[in-house]
Amino acid sequence: MQAGDIGDALSQLERGLYNKNNPAGYMLERVRRLIAAFESKLGEDAEIGMTVSAGSTIRLRSIGASDPDMLIFTGLDDHGAKACLLQHHSQLSLLLVAVPKIEDKPFRIGFV
């Protein structure tokens, strides 16, 4: 085994321990990739939203994590008011929807 191999193995071990101890951060990475893939298929007349309780929609503006266990989704509700959804990583269930843009240019989350 060479020094580079040991360094790679240690990096993978550290990453695995981080993911185990911070499941929200790990879930955030996965959700970001899935949202980016969904968003890449939207036309210029739509932006990304997510359906929350009772059929209301949040126009998604950002997502984040509060490790070790909470995901934070921020955006605008159906009336343009600021909205924030706090979700435990173990209860995550997202319904992503394409919603009509509300400005000249559709909002894009911007991560890949």
Side-chain angles (χ1 to χ4, degrees), residues 8 11-12 24-25 28 31-32 47 50 55 65 70 72-73 81-82 89 93 104:
D8 290 344
S11 293
Q12 288 178 347
L28 175 62
V31 168
R32 281 184 170 168
E47 56 190 31
M50 62 183 222
M70 297 298 293
I72 304 165
F73 300 87
K82 291 182 180 180
H89 75 91
S93 177
D104 290 338

Side-chain angles (χ1 to χ4, degrees), residues 7-30:
D8 290 344
L10 286 174
S11 293
Q12 288 178 347
L13 178 61
E14 287 173 356
R15 188 72 189 151
L17 289 173
Y18 174 83
N19 291 345
K20 179 181 177 190
N21 294 325
N22 296 291
Y26 177 58
M27 182 67 76
L28 175 62
E29 293 172 17
R30 295 173 62 200

Side-chain angles (χ1 to χ4, degrees), residues 2-64:
Q2 297 179 349
D5 295 337
I6 293 171
D8 290 344
L10 286 174
S11 293
Q12 288 178 347
L13 178 61
E14 287 173 356
R15 188 72 189 151
L17 289 173
Y18 174 83
N19 291 345
K20 179 181 177 190
N21 294 325
N22 296 291
Y26 177 58
M27 182 67 76
L28 175 62
E29 293 172 17
R30 295 173 62 200
V31 168
R32 281 184 170 168
R33 287 192 302 268
L34 295 168
I35 287 174
F38 181 87
E39 196 172 57
S40 72
K41 297 174 185 157
L42 296 178
E44 286 300 310
D45 59 337
E47 56 190 31
I48 193 166
M50 62 183 222
T51 300
V52 292
S53 65
S56 62
T57 301
I58 292 178
R59 293 173 180 279
L60 199 54
R61 295 299 186 250
S62 68
I63 63 170

